[in-house]
Amino acid sequence: MNIVELADVCKTYPSFRLKEVSFSLEKGKITGFIGRNGAGKTTTIKSMLNLIHTDSGEISYFGVPLSGNEKEIKQRIGYSTGTVSWYPRKKISEIVEVTRSFYPDWDEAAYRKYLGLFGLDENKKPIELSEGMKVKFNLLLALSHKAEVLILDEPTSGLDPFSRDELLELFKTLKEHGVTIFFSTHITSDLERCADNIIYISDGKIKAACSKADFMHDQGGPGETLEEIFLRLEREVRS
Amino acid sequence: MNALLKKEMRLSAQLLTYLFIGFAFMTMLPGYPILCGVFFINLGIFQSFQSAREANDIVFSALLPVAKRDVVRGKYQFSVMIELCGFALMAILTLVRMTALSDAALYRRNALMNANPFYLGCALVVFGVFNLIFLGGFFRTAYSLGKPFITYIIVNFLLIGIAEALHHFPGMEALNAFGFDHIGLQLLTLLAGAMLYILLTVMSYNKACENFERIDL
């Protein structure tokens, strides 16, 4: 069952164009969204969150269009980014207290669990956190309101190998609980570790959207790793 | 209190915004253009917008389970709340000047605007102009603060100048009445100010929502 669908989403900037992006996300699967820097990953994710105004195309969650149902849909999805920090000089506890008032389904037990698991101190401020801890804080907010779909923009950026391993294991656990995870990355080993499906974007256009096995079979040569396939495909695009 | 207003007050607002409500006490200054108090209250609101921008507040808000235009609503609710707090304080102090201090020589010798309902009406117009120019201007981009605020400053001081000059024109002396003199006319100007405030704020809000829907964050 497809829980998220994008159909022919287009967005034009003066120096970049997202070209008819279409793909769907299956319920309870982990989908890795890969592409080089500037390929259109963040623009696609921003479109999915209605942060940017798309030129055309349709985005729907749980069978209903995002347009007109934004409020209800956002109750059921979670977003995290590794690159932005919110309210750097406010205590985590203050940010959480305000955030929870927006979610009737806020799960305090889950919040406490992940707070401990991520080793976050509620009395700290985002400005006092390392890049990796900021990622974990953003993820904590996303995980504490029983989100059915997690949209994560480069969640493993800035994480040390141990934390990355923990995070990818967490993805697998969440998947077992039926959570759909969509994460962008340019680290191919993340995909090898946990992705069921791969969506590959290059120059604003989706080049492949399929299961990881199919991607390896269709795009890969004999003995090629995911990283080698990705590098070769990118070189072919550039040449 | 709704969640959006709570977010504005707890996360986005600067302490200065609340402290600057105290500039309503400028109502009590003799020999001073007391409408400037409105400017300082609005300067306090500007401080919160500035710090909110540095804290990525707009994107954080847009990611919450609210419709995109609700982000605009939260900012307007907060600004109007601060303005009305300042206005309420100004109204109380104006009443003090109109009653207990109506014959005080210090105020009677005042060549500038007197604290009366006309003054309160003018204050509401300046608040409305702030909402129209600054708030509306900010939501054209959701990051650019300088241009709308400078535009507001220019218009603000022009308005203060006009309001201060009006009662010096022949036949308009009643605008600077003391105590409860010309109270009918005075209340009419207050009512007109209140209506303009509502009109300018609603116009600005509707336009801001429309613009914000089109912005790429």
Side-chain angles (χ1 to χ4, degrees):
Chain A
M1 178 195 168
N2 292 334
I3 207 155
V4 183
E5 294 204 39
L6 276 78
D8 301 322
V9 173
C10 296
K11 173 71 187 173
T12 305
Y13 289 110
S15 57
F16 175 76
R17 198 157 68 91
L18 205 60
K19 300 159 194 158
E20 293 166 352
V21 166
S22 301
F23 61 80
S24 53
L25 304 181
E26 288 177 73
K27 182 174 167 54
K29 299 278 185 187
I30 301 174
T31 302
F33 189 34
I34 194 159
R36 62 182 298 167
N37 294 336
K41 299 192 295 294
T42 299
T43 304
T44 304
I45 286 178
K46 283 185 169 182
S47 306
M48 293 169 75
L49 297 163
N50 198 27
L51 291 179
I52 61 172
H53 189 78
T54 53
D55 302 333
S56 59
E58 288 267 332
I59 298 166
S60 61
Y61 290 80
F62 317 109
V64 292
L66 178 61
S67 171
N69 300 287
E70 198 179 349
K71 205 168 161 180
E72 297 73 22
I73 285 170
K74 282 182 181 171
Q75 284 285 351
R76 299 171 68 185
I77 66 174
Y79 167 74
S80 169
T81 172
T83 52
V84 182
S85 101
W86 319 112
Y87 310 104
R89 295 186 189 278
K90 295 282 179 189
K91 280 185 185 175
I92 286 176
S93 56
E94 285 178 89
I95 301 172
V96 168
E97 207 225 306
V98 169
T99 306
R100 73 155 67 88
S101 58
F102 284 87
Y103 295 99
D105 282 343
W106 181 268
D107 187 342
E108 192 61 25
Y111 167 68
R112 292 282 153 205
K113 184 179 119 186
Y114 291 118
L115 190 71
L117 187 72
F118 294 157
L120 279 161
D121 178 356
E122 276 186 302
N123 291 313
K124 281 199 167 181
K125 299 168 182 171
I127 198 165
E128 297 165 346
L129 301 176
S130 67
E131 289 306 303
M133 291 305 267
K134 279 180 197 162
V135 172
K136 288 179 178 178
F137 171 50
N138 288 336
L139 202 56
L140 172 74
L141 293 178
L143 291 171
S144 301
H145 66 267
K146 297 181 182 168
E148 294 165 59
V149 179
L150 288 178
I151 298 169
L152 313 170
D153 191 5
E154 305 201 358
T156 52
S157 300
L159 291 187
D160 61 72
F162 187 72
S163 297
R164 199 153 86 222
D165 182 64
E166 277 180 341
L167 189 62
L168 297 176
E169 285 304 315
L170 176 64
F171 285 1
K172 289 181 196 168
T173 310
L174 290 167
K175 174 188 150 182
E176 283 165 18
H177 289 89
V179 177
T180 305
I181 298 173
F182 176 70
F183 74 105
S184 72
T185 185
H186 50 261
I187 305 169
T188 49
S189 60
D190 290 350
L191 302 177
E192 276 163 351
R193 284 284 309 279
C194 70
D196 299 303
N197 299 321
I198 289 179
I199 297 172
Y200 168 50
I201 187 167
S202 181
D203 197 22
K205 199 169 172 61
I206 300 294
K207 301 284 185 184
C210 55
S211 72
K212 185 166 68 183
D214 286 347
F215 184 82
M216 299 287 282
H217 180 265
D218 297 344
Q219 308 286 343
E224 265 190 320
T225 63
L226 204 51
E227 180 153 342
E228 287 164 345
I229 298 169
F230 176 59
L231 287 172
R232 178 173 51 74
L233 290 173
E234 277 301 312
R235 284 189 192 113
E236 283 171 10
V237 170
R238 305 288 143 199
S239 60
Chain B
M1 188 193 304
N2 69 47
L4 270 167
L5 188 56
K6 180 180 172 183
K7 182 204 72 72
E8 290 301 324
M9 293 176 70
R10 296 288 305 277
L11 295 181
S12 314
Q14 277 276 304
L15 179 62
L16 270 182
T17 307
Y18 300 116
L19 293 178
F20 274 29
I21 293 172
F23 275 103
F25 278 98
M26 288 177 87
T27 305
M28 301 304 284
L29 288 180
Y32 190 87
I34 52 177
L35 261 182
C36 287
V38 177
F39 169 74
F40 287 108
I41 293 168
N42 289 336
L43 181 64
I45 297 172
F46 169 77
Q47 296 280 351
S48 281
F49 271 74
Q50 199 171 31
S51 78
R53 184 184 62 176
E54 310 316 324
N56 294 306
D57 168 76
I58 292 286
V59 177
F60 180 84
S61 306
L63 288 168
L64 289 168
V66 295
K68 205 172 168 184
R69 64 188 294 132
D70 289 341
V71 177
V72 180
R73 184 166 56 86
K75 292 280 176 213
Y76 272 75
Q77 276 180 345
F78 175 73
S79 303
V80 167
M81 182 195 75
I82 297 293
E83 288 164 358
L84 293 184
C85 285
F87 178 76
L89 194 50
M90 289 161 74
I92 292 166
L93 296 169
T94 299
L95 266 178
V96 172
R97 276 186 62 167
M98 287 171 68
T99 52
L101 300 172
S102 69
D103 291 323
L106 200 62
Y107 294 124
R108 285 279 173 180
R109 284 198 302 270
N110 184 17
L112 295 171
M113 182 185 273
N114 194 17
N116 57 24
F118 172 68
Y119 154 67
L120 293 175
C122 289
L124 285 173
V125 173
V126 178
F127 279 131
V129 165
F130 174 80
N131 296 345
L132 181 74
I133 298 176
F134 177 72
L135 297 187
F138 172 74
F139 279 107
R140 279 200 199 120
T141 59
Y143 69 85
S144 174
L145 293 160
K147 193 176 163 190
F149 195 64
I150 288 170
T151 311
Y152 159 69
I153 290 172
I154 295 166
V155 176
N156 172 81
F157 285 106
L158 273 174
L159 279 176
I160 291 177
I162 293 167
E164 284 286 353
L166 273 181
H167 70 270
H168 293 291
F169 287 96
M172 301 186 88
E173 296 84 357
L175 295 177
N176 210 32
F178 287 88
F180 288 85
D181 297 348
H182 304 288
I183 194 66
L185 172 74
Q186 288 279 328
L187 288 176
L188 266 179
T189 58
L190 173 58
L191 183 67
M195 287 171 72
L196 257 175
Y197 174 75
I198 294 168
L199 181 73
L200 294 174
T201 305
V202 169
M203 267 170 55
S204 167
Y205 171 71
N206 287 335
K207 188 71 186 162
C209 286
E210 199 183 296
N211 286 336
F212 190 62
E213 290 281 1
R214 287 199 296 257
I215 287 174
D216 294 335
L217 296 172

